[in-house]
PDB file of all heavy atoms in Angstrom:
ATOM      1  N   ALA A   5       1.847  11.977  -0.327  1.00 98.00           N
ATOM      2  CA  ALA A   5       1.686  13.384   0.110  1.00 98.00           C
ATOM      3  C   ALA A   5       2.024  14.247  -1.076  1.00 98.00           C
ATOM      4  O   ALA A   5       2.774  13.834  -1.997  1.00 98.00           O
ATOM      5  CB  ALA A   5       2.591  13.712   1.281  1.00 98.00           C
ATOM      6  N   PHE A   9       1.031  23.709  -6.187  1.00 98.00           N
ATOM      7  CA  PHE A   9       1.287  25.153  -6.389  1.00 98.00           C
ATOM      8  C   PHE A   9       2.502  25.637  -5.626  1.00 98.00           C
ATOM      9  O   PHE A   9       2.484  26.724  -5.061  1.00 98.00           O
ATOM     10  CB  PHE A   9       0.028  25.959  -6.041  1.00 98.00           C
ATOM     11  CG  PHE A   9      -1.189  25.514  -6.729  1.00 98.00           C
ATOM     12  CD1 PHE A   9      -2.153  24.806  -6.064  1.00 98.00           C
ATOM     13  CD2 PHE A   9      -1.386  25.765  -8.103  1.00 98.00           C
ATOM     14  CE1 PHE A   9      -3.340  24.360  -6.700  1.00 98.00           C
ATOM     15  CE2 PHE A   9      -2.513  25.327  -8.735  1.00 98.00           C
ATOM     16  CZ  PHE A   9      -3.483  24.634  -8.051  1.00 98.00           C
ATOM     17  N   LYS A  16      14.045  23.079 -11.253  1.00 98.00           N
ATOM     18  CA  LYS A  16      14.962  23.181 -10.114  1.00 98.00           C
ATOM     19  C   LYS A  16      14.790  22.055  -9.124  1.00 98.00           C
ATOM     20  O   LYS A  16      15.691  21.760  -8.330  1.00 98.00           O
ATOM     21  CB  LYS A  16      14.780  24.529  -9.442  1.00 98.00           C
ATOM     22  CG  LYS A  16      15.139  25.713 -10.292  1.00 98.00           C
ATOM     23  CD  LYS A  16      14.875  26.998  -9.589  1.00 98.00           C
ATOM     24  CE  LYS A  16      15.150  28.153 -10.459  1.00 98.00           C
ATOM     25  NZ  LYS A  16      14.867  29.429  -9.789  1.00 98.00           N
ATOM     26  N   VAL A  17      13.628  21.397  -9.099  1.00 98.00           N
ATOM     27  CA  VAL A  17      13.335  20.371  -8.101  1.00 98.00           C
ATOM     28  C   VAL A  17      13.596  18.956  -8.656  1.00 98.00           C
ATOM     29  O   VAL A  17      13.879  18.057  -7.897  1.00 98.00           O
ATOM     30  CB  VAL A  17      11.893  20.492  -7.595  1.00 98.00           C
ATOM     31  CG1 VAL A  17      11.587  19.523  -6.523  1.00 98.00           C
ATOM     32  CG2 VAL A  17      11.627  21.909  -7.129  1.00 98.00           C
ATOM     33  N   ALA A  21      14.607  15.274  -6.926  1.00 98.00           N
ATOM     34  CA  ALA A  21      13.682  14.136  -6.941  1.00 98.00           C
ATOM     35  C   ALA A  21      14.396  12.895  -7.450  1.00 98.00           C
ATOM     36  O   ALA A  21      14.216  11.795  -6.930  1.00 98.00           O
ATOM     37  CB  ALA A  21      12.464  14.439  -7.822  1.00 98.00           C
ATOM     38  N   ALA A  29      13.299   5.909   3.160  1.00 97.00           N
ATOM     39  CA  ALA A  29      12.801   7.214   3.568  1.00 97.00           C
ATOM     40  C   ALA A  29      13.804   7.935   4.470  1.00 97.00           C
ATOM     41  O   ALA A  29      14.026   9.147   4.330  1.00 97.00           O
ATOM     42  CB  ALA A  29      11.483   7.062   4.280  1.00 97.00           C
ATOM     43  N   GLY A  34      18.022  12.185   5.005  1.00 97.00           N
ATOM     44  CA  GLY A  34      19.410  12.521   5.304  1.00 97.00           C
ATOM     45  C   GLY A  34      20.069  13.203   4.142  1.00 97.00           C
ATOM     46  O   GLY A  34      20.871  14.157   4.284  1.00 97.00           O
ATOM     47  N   HIS A  41      19.837  23.571  -1.573  1.00 97.00           N
ATOM     48  CA  HIS A  41      18.849  24.131  -2.492  1.00 97.00           C
ATOM     49  C   HIS A  41      17.496  24.417  -1.751  1.00 97.00           C
ATOM     50  O   HIS A  41      17.156  23.700  -0.811  1.00 97.00           O
ATOM     51  CB  HIS A  41      18.559  23.157  -3.640  1.00 97.00           C
ATOM     52  CG  HIS A  41      19.771  22.731  -4.352  1.00 97.00           C
ATOM     53  ND1 HIS A  41      20.472  23.566  -5.218  1.00 97.00           N
ATOM     54  CD2 HIS A  41      20.470  21.601  -4.286  1.00 97.00           C
ATOM     55  CE1 HIS A  41      21.528  22.925  -5.673  1.00 97.00           C
ATOM     56  NE2 HIS A  41      21.544  21.704  -5.149  1.00 97.00           N
ATOM     57  N   GLU A  48      11.738  17.918   1.157  1.00 98.00           N
ATOM     58  CA  GLU A  48      11.872  17.298   2.490  1.00 98.00           C
ATOM     59  C   GLU A  48      10.568  17.398   3.270  1.00 98.00           C
ATOM     60  O   GLU A  48      10.146  16.462   3.935  1.00 98.00           O
ATOM     61  CB  GLU A  48      13.005  18.047   3.220  1.00 98.00           C
ATOM     62  CG  GLU A  48      13.333  17.460   4.592  1.00 98.00           C
ATOM     63  CD  GLU A  48      14.451  18.242   5.268  1.00 98.00           C
ATOM     64  OE1 GLU A  48      14.983  19.164   4.670  1.00 98.00           O
ATOM     65  OE2 GLU A  48      14.739  17.886   6.438  1.00 98.00           O
ATOM     66  N   HIS A  68      11.002   0.566   7.334  1.00 94.00           N
ATOM     67  CA  HIS A  68      11.429   0.003   6.064  1.00 94.00           C
ATOM     68  C   HIS A  68      10.720   0.624   4.876  1.00 94.00           C
ATOM     69  O   HIS A  68      10.686  -0.004   3.804  1.00 94.00           O
ATOM     70  CB  HIS A  68      11.165  -1.506   6.069  1.00 94.00           C
ATOM     71  CG  HIS A  68      11.928  -2.207   7.159  1.00 94.00           C
ATOM     72  ND1 HIS A  68      13.279  -2.317   7.199  1.00 94.00           N
ATOM     73  CD2 HIS A  68      11.476  -2.798   8.316  1.00 94.00           C
ATOM     74  CE1 HIS A  68      13.674  -2.978   8.289  1.00 94.00           C
ATOM     75  NE2 HIS A  68      12.567  -3.256   8.987  1.00 94.00           N
ATOM     76  N   THR A  70      10.201   2.846   1.615  1.00 97.00           N
ATOM     77  CA  THR A  70      11.064   3.349   0.562  1.00 97.00           C
ATOM     78  C   THR A  70      10.315   4.357  -0.298  1.00 97.00           C
ATOM     79  O   THR A  70       9.075   4.288  -0.412  1.00 97.00           O
ATOM     80  CB  THR A  70      11.614   2.240  -0.333  1.00 97.00           C
ATOM     81  OG1 THR A  70      10.511   1.549  -0.915  1.00 97.00           O
ATOM     82  CG2 THR A  70      12.466   1.255   0.414  1.00 97.00           C
ATOM     83  N   VAL A  71      11.061   5.247  -0.891  1.00 98.00           N
ATOM     84  CA  VAL A  71      10.456   6.236  -1.795  1.00 98.00           C
ATOM     85  C   VAL A  71      10.299   5.563  -3.154  1.00 98.00           C
ATOM     86  O   VAL A  71      11.280   5.330  -3.842  1.00 98.00           O
ATOM     87  CB  VAL A  71      11.389   7.496  -1.891  1.00 98.00           C
ATOM     88  CG1 VAL A  71      10.778   8.530  -2.817  1.00 98.00           C
ATOM     89  CG2 VAL A  71      11.627   8.068  -0.511  1.00 98.00           C
ATOM     90  N   GLY A  79       3.016  23.289 -12.875  1.00 98.00           N
ATOM     91  CA  GLY A  79       1.765  23.851 -12.444  1.00 98.00           C
ATOM     92  C   GLY A  79       1.457  25.095 -13.302  1.00 98.00           C
ATOM     93  O   GLY A  79       2.065  25.279 -14.337  1.00 98.00           O
ATOM     94  N   ARG A  83       2.126  35.279 -15.205  1.00 97.00           N
ATOM     95  CA  ARG A  83       2.741  35.987 -16.331  1.00 97.00           C
ATOM     96  C   ARG A  83       2.824  37.462 -15.963  1.00 97.00           C
ATOM     97  O   ARG A  83       1.828  38.090 -15.656  1.00 97.00           O
ATOM     98  CB  ARG A  83       1.933  35.761 -17.580  1.00 97.00           C
ATOM     99  CG  ARG A  83       2.110  34.375 -18.098  1.00 97.00           C
ATOM    100  CD  ARG A  83       1.372  34.182 -19.415  1.00 97.00           C
ATOM    101  NE  ARG A  83       1.576  32.802 -19.907  1.00 97.00           N
ATOM    102  CZ  ARG A  83       0.911  31.745 -19.513  1.00 97.00           C
ATOM    103  NH1 ARG A  83       0.017  31.842 -18.598  1.00 97.00           N
ATOM    104  NH2 ARG A  83       1.174  30.579 -20.045  1.00 97.00           N
ATOM    105  N   ARG A  90      12.387  50.575 -26.681  1.00 97.00           N
ATOM    106  CA  ARG A  90      11.541  50.982 -27.819  1.00 97.00           C
ATOM    107  C   ARG A  90      10.043  50.640 -27.593  1.00 97.00           C
ATOM    108  O   ARG A  90       9.335  50.265 -28.509  1.00 97.00           O
ATOM    109  CB  ARG A  90      12.026  50.316 -29.112  1.00 97.00           C
ATOM    110  CG  ARG A  90      13.413  50.798 -29.507  1.00 97.00           C
ATOM    111  CD  ARG A  90      14.012  50.027 -30.619  1.00 97.00           C
ATOM    112  NE  ARG A  90      13.085  49.715 -31.687  1.00 97.00           N
ATOM    113  CZ  ARG A  90      13.251  48.713 -32.578  1.00 97.00           C
ATOM    114  NH1 ARG A  90      14.319  47.939 -32.462  1.00 97.00           N
ATOM    115  NH2 ARG A  90      12.391  48.520 -33.497  1.00 97.00           N
ATOM    116  N   MET A 100       5.241  27.510 -11.353  1.00 98.00           N
ATOM    117  CA  MET A 100       4.875  26.780 -10.169  1.00 98.00           C
ATOM    118  C   MET A 100       4.988  25.308 -10.484  1.00 98.00           C
ATOM    119  O   MET A 100       5.014  24.879 -11.632  1.00 98.00           O
ATOM    120  CB  MET A 100       3.444  27.068  -9.784  1.00 98.00           C
ATOM    121  CG  MET A 100       3.226  28.451  -9.192  1.00 98.00           C
ATOM    122  SD  MET A 100       1.564  28.548  -8.615  1.00 98.00           S
ATOM    123  CE  MET A 100       1.133  30.153  -9.208  1.00 98.00           C
ATOM    124  N   SER A 101       5.053  24.466  -9.427  1.00 98.00           N
ATOM    125  CA  SER A 101       5.121  23.037  -9.648  1.00 98.00           C
ATOM    126  C   SER A 101       4.260  22.321  -8.614  1.00 98.00           C
ATOM    127  O   SER A 101       3.923  22.849  -7.587  1.00 98.00           O
ATOM    128  CB  SER A 101       6.573  22.575  -9.561  1.00 98.00           C
ATOM    129  OG  SER A 101       7.138  22.946  -8.343  1.00 98.00           O
TER     130      SER A 101
END
Side-chain angles (χ1 to χ4, degrees):
F9 307 105
K16 296 178 182 178
V17 184
H41 307 287
E48 184 180 357
H68 301 292
T70 59
V71 180
R83 287 183 178 83
R90 296 170 43 202
M100 288 187 223
S101 56

